[in-house]
Amino acid sequence: MPRLVLIDGSSYLYRAFHALPPLTNSAGEPTGALFGVVNMLRATLAEQPDCAAFVVDAPGKTFRDDLYPEYKANRSAMPDDLRAQVQPMCEIVQALGFPILRIDGVEADDVIGTLALEAARTGTDVTISTGDKDFAQLLQPFESGGSIRLINTMSGSVLDTDDSVMAKFGVHAHQIVDMLALMGDTVDNVKGVDKCGPKTAAKWLAEYGSLDGVITNVEKIGGKIGENLRAALPRLPLNRELVTIKTDVALDSAAHELNLRPRDVDTLKILYARYGFNAALKELGGTPPPSASERKVSMRGTEAGWARTGAAPVEPPDEKLGQKGTYETILTREQFAPWLAKLQAAGAFAFDTETDSLDALCANLVGLSIATEAHAGAYIPFGHDYPGAPAQLPRDEVLDALRPLFADASKKKIGQHGKYDLHVLRCHGVTVHGYDEDTMLESFVFNAGASRHDMDSLAKRYLGYDTVRYEDVAGKGAKQIPFSHVSVEDATRYAAEDADVVLRLHSVLRPKLAAEPSLDAVYRDIEIPLVPVLERIEANGILVDAAELRRQSADLGKRMLEAQQQAIALAGRTFSLDSPKQVGQLLFDELKLPVQVKTSTGQPSVNEEALEALADLHELPKIILEYRGLAKLRSTYTDKLPDMVNPNTGRVHTSYHQAGAATGRLASSDPNLQNIPIRTDDGRRIRKAFIAPEGRRIVALDYSQIELRIMAHLSEDPNLLKAFGSGADIHRATAAEVFGKAMDDVSNNERRAAKAINFGLMYGMSAFGLAKQLGIGRGEAQDYIALYFSRYPGVRDYMERTRQDARDKGFVETVFGRRLHLENIHARNQGLRAGAERAAINAPMQGTAADIVKRAMIQIDRWLADVGGRALMLLQVHDELVFEADTAFVDDLIAGATQRMAAAAELRVPLLVDAGTGANWDEAH
DNA sequence: AGCTGCCCGTAC
DNA sequence: GACGTACGGGCAGCTA
């Protein structure tokens, strides 16, 4: 049977553009989308179809625009970087031998629909290659024996039968248009039924068969969503028409001659070379341009084509990388022996632990997986316990055999989020040295902006591979079973794959980092050495006086009750003070107080600012604020923290997320110990419950104004440098400069204003924001800012330089070379773009501070290892480190740690550290 | 019952 | 629209 492939070029172009990082070739031309499309086309050709066409949208109005003027109205113009790739794409498509179809006044979808149906009716097997699910509506049986199937080469998914459509969407293929009509399509500005997603639409269609059936039975559908449906009724017939792909477009004869031409190898070589598609070039027998020596010279520049982002592209995953490996379950000594030999012979190995708990500090080791080469791995179960479980090797025997390998620093260990495994192994008496590579951290340093750095996401992103997920073998939610109850077969395909995938990811990520020396240094010198440091800090934990917190909870509860009673008396009815919705109804609907602040979604806000603004009009807002302050402290801190005390250690162990914040800061959770209150007296009291054990003291060391000092360093502003050099109170000095006074004459209010300016600057704040912050007019705020910049022109220049840098390069970097890519720096949407600019201003300062603190932690940890447990590092709160130390060691600790913190960077200004000590964290400030 | 988005508030 | 980076609690509504 003849085969025809129809490629939805427009859909791929957009998807590749948004899915891939913004790449450029050596001439600075954008190539990201091109790259994605070319790889897709090469994959298509490898299938050797008889006929094919590359179909793209043509400019001009279509019948849908006539039907519905707002069609695609909220779609922004094609980004310049994408537009620039259209012509080169056409050239490559031509050279590859694909006919290109571009028909004025007809969308690509309708051209594809028409050709597909026609061909299938005449007995052709049609493949539509697209990223757009809407095409599922075309699937149907044909008398001729022809067929239509969909393939999405970016996700690898295939839809070829009604059953597969049902599995994916929960409706039959012929119901797809009805489902789309109900759901709507935000991208095309087709407004469906509010709150109706695929599930709801599928439910209705299963019940009533079709859109018409749903419309007939509209009164039977209850609840809010029923109302939404009735409100949307008039739109639905039009929606249906808009989402229906046309299959009867008039096409001229050329559109029916879809023969592939032989590819034009010479032209392709030129084009591939020009755009830096080296893998594709090599396939043609061409030589990738740079020789090894040239490569070295130009690597940091433009040769590889990634200068704009400094990030290598997500290469077309080498096909082999995305294939399943072969995995072995080790149940006997005979099976274990050859693996042990492999580990002993290998210079490096990947490993992963499996446990029965997410909490590493009380987790039991259930099994361990290892891999020494890609596509192979072994799982050694020893704690699986379920009816019919096979006999397993004794845990201690396995650990004893592996212990020397883990302890040998010259044997490199590779992991993914290895801090967890380090915890688990240490709890089981296995010390790990030489933990040298971590794929999570490689990914984080390579592209901190990416939202996820978990293994499943990385495998998908860098290998094009779908891993077996934890929930696939252990279930999730209420149905989750402990890993020890998972069959060793399931456990093996999950766990051994993990170790294997770590190796494969490392083989992809390692060269990407190696190509960027500054990123490699951040990874090698900061992130990797920090792993064991954080592991120790987390394991140390901090002693918490749970009884004290419970007393505070009781006290807060009493005061909450009083506030609540007052509030209800004032309101004249009961309501929940915890519910923003109910508070809003009461204040604005019933009491008719004026709405002065709105939330981001346009609702009347009842936040602190809003309630403060109403305080003069009514007594109630004040009471609600009082209640809310107390409730926050109680629910988040005094109630929660006692529950978090680890029963084994009697201490609270937070976890630090090393790949948490895009700027390079750590984040803390479970519990978050980086947002313990300090500003109010009630809040501050909570810090009294963080205590040192008998014979020890809490020591808190914090950098003084570290981010402002970094701003001085980066901007090289003479006035700012001078102020820090002289050791003056920086906010007072700023006020003196801005208001033209002697330091001693600066009023408290002027200092407050100067402080707000200083902080605002680091966050990219506008005059509007400063005015709001200070409660002054916008003009006045603008004057302050102008005055500031006239006194500190270096700061103004620096800010502008940073914005420009971000626009030119697509990223900003810290003093130590850590990068933050700014996805939205060229966004059409002004809000997004402005946000990216503010992030660009802030990231070098916040990120450099983070780098410095991390460097200090590494040095201090090394030093503390030598003093034999007389002091422990307990917490990091961005610019502060908290320790507990033997009373007799406190002075030594302060001297030694302070010195290392101050020496963690050499800036144009000194780094000052304030020290405090006491029986608890509050006293240590 | 579990998940998600929203609103709000804590830290640096 | 308007100040950067996080985490988390409670509510409310949706999904399963």
Side-chain angles (χ1 to χ4, degrees):
Chain A
M1 203 158 279
R3 290 184 305 156
L4 165 67
V5 179
L6 297 168
I7 298 160
D8 186 0
S10 302
S11 129
Y12 274 118
L13 192 63
Y14 266 96
R15 268 158 222 261
F17 181 72
H18 288 112
L20 297 174
L23 315 169
T24 56
N25 66 357
S26 52
E29 296 164 295
T31 59
L34 200 49
F35 189 77
V37 172
V38 167
N39 284 316
M40 185 272 299
L41 290 174
R42 288 169 56 221
T44 305
L45 278 180
E47 303 273 308
Q48 302 186 322
D50 302 293
C51 297
F54 188 82
V55 190
V56 290
D57 285 326
K61 268 176 49 162
T62 70
F63 82 97
R64 290 191 182 82
D65 296 294
D66 293 332
L67 273 175
Y68 179 56
E70 284 100 87
Y71 183 65
K72 295 193 177 176
N74 57 11
R75 189 176 282 192
S76 46
M78 189 183 273
D80 290 341
D81 276 3
L82 179 52
R83 186 186 308 278
Q85 296 178 60
V86 172
Q87 185 55 33
M89 179 186 73
C90 291
E91 286 171 23
I92 293 181
V93 173
Q94 287 277 6
L96 280 167
F98 288 94
I100 299 180
L101 284 181
R102 181 174 180 155
I103 295 170
D104 286 345
V106 186
E107 284 181 74
D109 291 10
D110 301 318
V111 176
I112 293 172
T114 302
L115 288 172
L117 211 65
E118 181 187 277
R121 281 190 180 130
T122 53
T124 300
D125 281 336
V126 181
T127 298
I128 301 174
S129 183
T130 178
D132 188 347
K133 63 185 183 317
D134 294 12
F135 280 100
Q137 63 185 269
L138 297 177
L139 263 63
Q140 55 190 288
F142 293 93
E143 283 172 15
S144 63
S147 65
I148 294 180
R149 68 178 189 135
L150 307 185
I151 181 160
N152 179 346
T153 57
M154 297 200 50
S155 68
S157 64
V158 176
L159 289 177
D160 50 2
T161 58
D162 191 53
D163 285 347
S164 62
V165 174
M166 181 55 91
K168 193 164 164 89
F169 300 106
V171 298
H172 294 288
H174 69 265
Q175 294 171 314
I176 288 280
V177 281
D178 292 348
M179 177 166 110
L180 295 172
L182 287 165
M183 285 164 53
D185 184 340
T186 20
V187 178
D188 289 347
N189 202 27
V190 175
K191 201 168 158 359
V193 177
D194 258 3
K195 304 281 178 202
C196 173
K199 302 290 176 190
T200 307
K203 190 176 78 181
W204 289 342
L205 290 171
E207 187 146 8
Y208 306 113
S210 67
L211 184 60
D212 290 337
V214 174
I215 292 171
T216 314
N217 292 284
V218 66
E219 294 307 326
K220 293 190 189 158
I221 294 167
K224 181 93 183 145
I225 196 140
E227 285 172 38
N228 293 344
L229 170 61
R230 286 183 281 280
L233 270 185
R235 295 197 295 272
L236 296 179
L238 173 63
N239 281 5
R240 194 174 193 284
E241 212 167 336
L242 290 171
V243 301
T244 301
I245 293 170
K246 278 207 155 195
T247 54
D248 56 356
V249 175
L251 298 172
D252 60 29
S253 58
H256 299 275
E257 289 158 17
L258 302 176
N259 295 316
L260 276 164
R261 299 181 306 276
R263 60 186 182 178
D264 177 350
V265 174
D266 293 337
T267 307
L268 279 176
K269 278 186 185 169
I270 294 167
L271 289 167
Y272 286 167
R274 172 168 172 197
Y275 293 107
F277 299 156
N278 294 341
L281 187 58
K282 217 167 157 188
E283 195 184 72
L284 292 180
T287 332
S291 71
S293 57
E294 284 165 342
R295 202 178 179 90
K296 248 186 200 140
V297 178
S298 49
M299 192 48 101
R300 288 218 52 194
T302 56
E303 171 277 319
W306 327 126
R308 204 181 129 212
T309 62
V314 179
E315 288 269 353
D318 179 340
E319 217 164 275
K320 241 179 124 186
L321 276 174
Q323 286 165 5
K324 269 225 178 310
T326 312
Y327 305 122
E328 189 180 345
T329 311
I330 298 180
L331 292 169
T332 65
R333 293 189 184 111
E334 290 66 37
Q335 290 169 317
F336 188 35
W339 274 97
L340 200 55
K342 261 193 237 184
L343 292 181
Q344 279 156 351
F349 67 89
F351 74 103
D352 187 32
T353 61
E354 302 305 332
T355 69
D356 60 2
S357 166
L358 268 179
D359 180 353
L361 293 178
C362 35
N364 287 308
L365 196 50
V366 169
L368 211 148
S369 53
I370 46 178
T372 56
E373 55 184 324
H375 296 94
Y379 178 61
I380 315 169
F382 33 66
H384 288 258
D385 181 19
Y386 52 89
Q392 297 150 61
L393 287 171
R395 186 181 75 192
D396 288 340
E397 183 180 326
V398 174
L399 293 183
D400 286 345
L402 295 176
R403 190 170 284 111
L405 293 165
F406 277 115
D408 179 359
S410 70
K411 189 158 304 275
K412 310 290 187 200
K413 265 67 77 177
I414 312 172
Q416 157 76 17
H417 190 208
K419 176 159 64 71
Y420 177 88
D421 306 275
L422 261 48
H423 270 304
V424 173
L425 288 172
R426 192 183 39 72
C427 290
H428 289 78
V430 177
T431 307
V432 181
H433 290 125
Y435 185 68
D436 250 41
E437 310 282 357
D438 191 303
T439 47
M440 176 185 82
L441 298 175
E442 285 178 320
S443 166
F444 178 62
V445 172
F446 180 62
N447 183 5
S451 61
R452 304 177 64 93
H453 303 281
D454 61 287
M455 202 184 71
D456 295 349
S457 308
L458 298 187
K460 187 82 195 146
R461 195 179 314 151
Y462 293 108
L463 308 175
Y465 183 64
D466 286 309
T467 53
V468 177
R469 293 161 307 168
Y470 189 79
E471 63 184 71
D472 295 334
V473 294
K476 62 169 185 169
K479 285 188 287 254
Q480 190 171 67
I481 56 173
F483 202 78
S484 53
H485 293 187
V486 172
S487 75
V488 295
E489 292 80 16
D490 281 352
T492 297
R493 62 188 182 87
Y494 165 77
E497 178 183 90
D498 273 8
D500 168 26
V501 167
V502 164
L503 274 189
R504 290 193 243 169
L505 279 171
H506 179 61
S507 74
V508 172
L509 288 165
R510 178 87 284 278
K512 289 182 189 296
L513 279 186
E516 293 292 342
S518 76
L519 294 182
D520 205 40
V522 168
Y523 172 73
R524 198 60 70 202
D525 302 338
I526 299 181
E527 300 299 356
I528 286 291
L530 190 63
V531 172
V533 179
L534 292 178
E535 197 271 330
R536 270 186 284 281
I537 293 177
E538 293 180 2
N540 289 340
I542 185 165
L543 192 60
V544 164
D545 183 347
E548 165 65 19
L549 289 172
R550 293 206 179 88
R551 278 194 295 277
Q552 292 188 22
S553 272
D555 174 59
L556 291 166
K558 222 163 59 189
R559 289 158 62 194
M560 281 164 68
L561 192 64
E562 286 165 17
Q564 189 182 10
Q565 284 167 346
Q566 284 180 47
I568 286 169
L570 280 167
R573 68 169 174 94
T574 60
F575 68 104
S576 166
L577 280 78
D578 291 316
S579 162
K581 193 178 157 184
Q582 293 185 32
V583 170
Q585 282 165 354
L586 180 64
L587 295 182
F588 302 118
D589 296 346
E590 290 183 32
L591 298 174
K592 309 284 184 204
L593 294 173
V595 176
Q596 304 185 41
V597 185
K598 294 191 171 181
T599 68
S600 55
T601 54
Q603 300 301 306
S605 174
V606 290
N607 67 10
E608 181 176 1
E609 185 196 348
L611 297 190
E612 286 292 355
L614 298 173
D616 296 336
L617 302 172
H618 201 283
E619 288 176 77
L620 194 49
K622 193 99 206 146
I623 306 285
I624 295 172
L625 281 176
E626 161 83 8
Y627 171 88
R628 214 184 256 169
L630 301 169
K632 170 78 175 178
L633 293 178
R634 195 165 88 131
S635 64
T636 310
Y637 303 107
T638 62
D639 275 358
K640 192 65 201 274
L641 284 169
D643 292 345
M644 304 296 291
V645 173
N646 182 305
N648 299 321
T649 64
R651 299 167 70 106
V652 170
H653 305 263
T654 182
S655 36
Y656 286 104
H657 306 289
Q658 211 174 337
T663 53
R665 269 193 185 178
L666 299 178
S668 153
S669 70
D670 307 294
N672 181 355
L673 296 184
Q674 290 182 323
N675 70 347
I676 303 300
I678 192 168
R679 288 170 196 183
T680 66
D681 287 343
D682 273 332
R684 201 175 172 133
R685 214 155 47 124
I686 293 168
R687 294 192 173 219
K688 290 188 190 302
F690 289 81
I691 55 176
E694 195 63 37
R696 304 197 117 186
R697 303 273 283 173
I698 296 288
V699 175
L701 304 176
D702 69 284
Y703 283 106
S704 163
Q705 306 294 355
I706 188 168
E707 292 190 16
L708 275 176
R709 284 171 198 269
I710 293 164
M711 184 166 89
H713 170 83
L714 289 169
S715 69
E716 301 183 52
D717 182 279
N719 262 338
L720 205 52
L721 290 174
K722 196 180 70 192
F724 277 120
S726 72
D729 169 352
I730 189 64
H731 301 312
R732 185 164 290 278
T734 304
E737 283 285 355
V738 170
F739 300 109
K741 291 188 170 178
M743 291 270 284
D744 293 341
D745 298 337
V746 168
S747 71
N748 283 341
N749 211 35
E750 286 163 339
R751 184 180 181 279
R752 188 178 67 98
K755 188 174 172 180
I757 295 175
N758 278 331
F759 278 103
L761 277 169
M762 291 191 297
Y763 299 149
M765 189 163 74
S766 64
F768 178 93
L770 183 64
K772 205 162 94 169
Q773 174 78 27
L774 290 174
I776 58 177
R778 191 169 151 184
E780 201 180 344
Q782 185 55 56
D783 293 345
Y784 284 0
I785 292 174
L787 265 171
Y788 180 96
F789 280 141
S790 73
R791 302 305 301 159
Y792 300 101
V795 176
R796 182 191 51 213
D797 294 347
Y798 166 70
M799 299 284 171
E800 200 30 64
R801 209 160 59 234
T802 306
R803 281 194 193 90
Q804 194 54 48
D805 242 32
R807 284 191 285 263
D808 291 346
K809 298 192 290 194
F811 65 83
V812 291
E813 52 191 339
T814 68
V815 169
F816 295 95
R818 181 192 301 279
R819 289 182 184 172
L820 177 64
H821 295 269
L822 298 148
E823 205 72 18
N824 288 322
I825 197 73
H826 293 293
R828 285 273 173 286
N829 179 317
Q830 180 153 13
L832 287 179
R833 199 173 61 240
E837 286 183 5
R838 291 192 297 272
I841 296 282
N842 179 253
M845 292 179 265
Q846 190 180 117
T848 300
D851 291 343
I852 292 174
V853 181
K854 285 175 169 178
R855 286 164 55 93
M857 291 167 75
I858 294 164
Q859 293 307 320
I860 292 171
D861 178 76
R862 275 184 200 156
W863 172 61
L864 288 181
D866 295 336
V867 300
R870 299 187 70 191
L872 299 173
M873 210 182 325
L874 307 184
L875 301 175
Q876 189 253 45
V877 194
H878 309 308
D879 65 357
E880 173 184 6
L881 296 174
V882 180
F883 303 82
E884 73 175 39
D886 289 349
T887 307
F889 189 66
V890 166
D891 292 340
D892 288 347
L893 173 68
I894 291 176
T898 299
Q899 184 275 324
R900 285 169 176 79
M901 287 171 77
E906 288 203 20
L907 304 182
R908 297 181 181 92
V909 291
L911 283 177
L912 291 195
V913 175
D914 295 324
T917 177
N920 60 58
W921 195 6
D922 180 41
E923 284 179 14
H925 264 278

